[in-house]
Amino acid sequence: MTTNEPAPDDMPLCCSMYDVAVVGGGIVGLASARELILRHPTLSFILLEKEKDLAIHQSGHNSGVIHSGIYYTPGSLKARLCGKGATMAYEYLDKKGLPYKRCGKLIVAVEREEIPRLKALYERGQKNNVRDLTMIDAKGIREREPYCRGLMALDSPYTGIVDWRLVSLAYGKDFQEAGGTVVTEYEASDMAMVKESPAGITDGMKYPIAIRDSKGTEVRCRYVLTCGGLYSDRLAQISGCSPDPRIVPFRGDYLVLKPEKHYLVRGNIYPVPDPRFPFLGVHFTPRMDGSVWLGPNAVLAFKREGYKLYDFDARDFGDALSFRGLQKLVMNNLVYGVGEMYRGVFIGAQVKILKKFIPELSLSDVLRGPAGVRAQALDRDGNLVDDFVFDVGVGDVGSRVLHVRNAPSPAATSSLAIAEMVADEVERRFSL
């Protein structure tokens, strides 16, 4: 457990009292905590994280792309947040001197039937005011990516790459420097209204919510904001919320290019999305450390934080398989799902798809790489929940707890804009 500032009067954590507790130390929780304390510097804030370190799950296991907002429905919240968030991210990175590369992205059509979808995507990007977005031909593709082959492509030079965990930690540092307290290795297992003050404390009932962990430690607060990522549904249920939408974990396995083949890729190379399938498809992504990731696929993870093929948790697996929404999603995408599983086991099948974009690529050029787990929110009809979901608890607790149930991709790119929205929602619901 680590803390930045002592509790009032140097009280032990078992009776610490704060105005606002933020549960979840990923990029959305950290950005939201930062935004709230900057708006309300006279209030006391604590951030609780169940892991030993901050931002080690989705915030530390992602492709590291700064998205420009091409894909999203014009006028939608995702589109607005991504566009604003990308601008805010670049400004923040410059202000803090954090490293990034604006290496651009090509969305490449390799088949003629993809060209109408590519043109529609261009129109969508124009409506979303994506900066400097252009349509280029095969010659233009070769000029930007000499080893890539395609018929047409969208060129998005505003797209970049960054280490989002490094950015998350910078948000945390801002929060602490503003007076916020960070506590790690604190897994919230219960939230409840209390009926009396801690012994020896006269004004304890000003902080009527108790957040307890599995060790029996207790933090008191006036209000709670949860940003639980892969556990957002379970955190919401603690305060009496519905279990839906349910979080179903999907693991994405990456391949990596061998160092001697890094020359094959300059920037991000993406496929044209196929609307028949629920996920984007494999792509080429350069990293800040100089490596190049290829992928990912998308398969059901047997554990919510299971980054290896054989990681397994009985509760996580049982919850997923028994959920009607997942059953419907699987049946509606059976062939696609089987193909994703096959390509995850037999990487030659994955390379075969990647060769459509870079024909020079061969199986001997790649190695198995890292994996990430995506917190995919599903409704009971098997639909991917593609927008933000806020929820409150029931009874007296409900008036003081706000849950961010779903913060869909590209949450990292949009994190500062999301934080403004979350802070607005907190201020609307609570009397800070």
Side-chain angles (χ1 to χ4, degrees):
M1 180 178 69
T2 61
T3 61
N4 179 56
E5 297 289 342
D9 298 324
D10 292 330
M11 291 183 295
L13 191 63
C14 64
C15 51
S16 298
M17 295 184 291
Y18 297 85
D19 291 304
V20 180
V22 179
V23 180
I27 195 167
V28 173
L30 289 164
S32 298
R34 171 187 178 273
E35 179 68 20
L36 283 165
I37 201 170
L38 292 177
R39 292 189 187 190
H40 302 278
T42 62
L43 299 183
S44 56
F45 290 82
I46 186 171
L47 184 140
L48 305 172
E49 165 57 38
K50 71 181 181 66
E51 302 292 354
K52 184 178 179 180
D53 298 303
L54 298 173
I56 66 170
H57 289 299
Q58 290 185 106
S59 305
H61 290 79
N62 58 69
S63 60
V65 176
I66 306 171
H67 293 280
S68 58
I70 299 170
Y71 300 103
Y72 317 116
T73 302
S76 68
L77 186 57
K78 283 183 70 172
R80 297 197 307 272
L81 289 173
C82 183
K84 182 179 181 181
T87 299
M88 295 177 73
Y90 280 126
E91 291 174 351
Y92 182 83
L93 296 172
D94 286 335
K95 180 180 178 180
K96 295 292 183 176
L98 297 175
Y100 69 90
K101 296 177 183 177
R102 201 172 296 183
C103 58
K105 174 169 73 174
L106 296 184
I107 303 175
V108 182
V110 295
E111 307 286 351
R112 292 204 173 274
E113 56 263 32
E114 295 176 330
I115 292 177
R117 299 204 305 269
L118 187 72
K119 291 180 177 179
L121 203 58
Y122 174 72
E123 295 298 324
R124 176 170 286 195
Q126 292 290 97
K127 291 178 181 178
N128 286 339
N129 298 312
V130 174
R131 298 189 187 186
D132 305 320
L133 185 67
T134 59
M135 185 85 76
I136 59 176
D137 58 14
K139 181 181 177 182
I141 293 172
R142 290 193 298 273
E143 288 173 350
R144 288 156 182 77
E145 292 285 352
Y147 296 93
C148 181
R149 296 295 177 265
L151 303 175
M152 295 182 70
L154 292 187
D155 181 16
S156 173
Y158 194 63
T159 300
I161 57 172
V162 73
D163 182 340
W164 283 118
R165 182 165 189 262
L166 188 65
V167 177
S168 301
L169 296 178
Y171 294 165
K173 183 178 180 182
D174 292 344
F175 173 72
Q176 290 176 300
E177 289 179 345
T181 298
V182 172
V183 177
T184 57
E185 297 183 277
Y186 193 100
E187 184 171 359
S189 59
D190 182 58
M191 297 179 199
M193 296 290 288
V194 295
K195 298 180 180 179
E196 58 185 21
S197 294
I201 300 176
T202 58
D203 62 348
M205 291 310 294
K206 288 175 58 180
Y207 307 91
I209 298 289
I211 305 173
R212 302 182 182 95
D213 71 358
S214 56
K215 305 170 188 174
T217 308
E218 182 177 289
V219 171
R220 297 280 187 96
C221 57
R222 292 169 58 211
Y223 303 104
V224 181
L225 170 68
T226 75
C227 304
L230 283 155
Y231 289 90
S232 61
D233 55 344
R234 292 182 183 171
L235 277 173
Q237 288 179 73
I238 288 174
S239 63
C241 294
S242 165
D244 300 328
R246 193 79 58 87
I247 295 298
V248 176
F250 283 89
R251 191 184 71 254
D253 301 306
Y254 287 91
L255 304 176
V256 294
L257 271 181
K258 291 181 178 178
E260 61 269 24
K261 292 293 182 176
H262 287 175
Y263 68 87
L264 292 174
V265 178
R266 289 181 174 177
N268 296 281
I269 302 173
Y270 276 60
V272 179
D274 190 330
R276 297 175 299 169
F277 304 132
F279 297 111
L280 181 60
V282 297
H283 43 271
F284 299 77
T285 304
R287 303 280 295 177
M288 288 300 297
D289 63 3
S291 63
V292 179
W293 289 10
L294 318 177
N297 62 345
V299 297
L300 178 68
F302 301 150
K303 182 179 180 181
R304 291 202 178 196
E305 292 164 352
Y307 300 103
K308 298 178 182 178
L309 179 62
Y310 299 109
D311 283 348
F312 179 82
D313 180 271
R315 181 187 177 188
D316 292 347
F317 187 59
D319 281 354
L321 284 191
S322 63
F323 179 47
R324 176 183 173 187
L326 178 63
Q327 294 167 6
K328 287 193 171 185
L329 179 70
V330 170
M331 294 308 298
N332 291 336
N333 298 275
L334 188 60
V335 174
Y336 175 83
V338 171
E340 290 291 282
M341 293 175 66
Y342 179 82
R343 287 186 288 273
V345 175
F346 301 101
I347 63 175
Q350 190 89 300
V351 171
K352 184 178 180 180
I353 294 176
L354 294 164
K355 282 174 66 69
K356 293 180 180 180
F357 301 90
I358 297 185
E360 187 173 320
L361 185 70
S362 67
L363 182 59
S364 62
D365 296 332
V366 302
L367 300 169
R368 289 192 180 275
V373 178
R374 172 177 178 168
Q376 180 60 59
L378 283 181
D379 66 21
R380 295 188 66 81
D381 293 322
N383 299 310
L384 305 185
V385 179
D386 203 34
D387 211 340
F388 294 85
V389 177
F390 293 101
D391 204 352
V392 295
V394 297
D396 293 336
V397 174
S399 64
R400 292 179 175 270
V401 180
L402 177 65
H403 302 285
V404 179
R405 294 287 299 264
N406 190 44
S409 178
T413 297
S414 307
S415 56
L416 291 174
I418 291 172
E420 290 187 342
M421 180 183 69
V422 171
D424 289 345
E425 189 72 12
V426 168
E427 292 173 341
R428 186 179 72 82
R429 292 179 181 269
F430 307 145
S431 299
L432 295 184

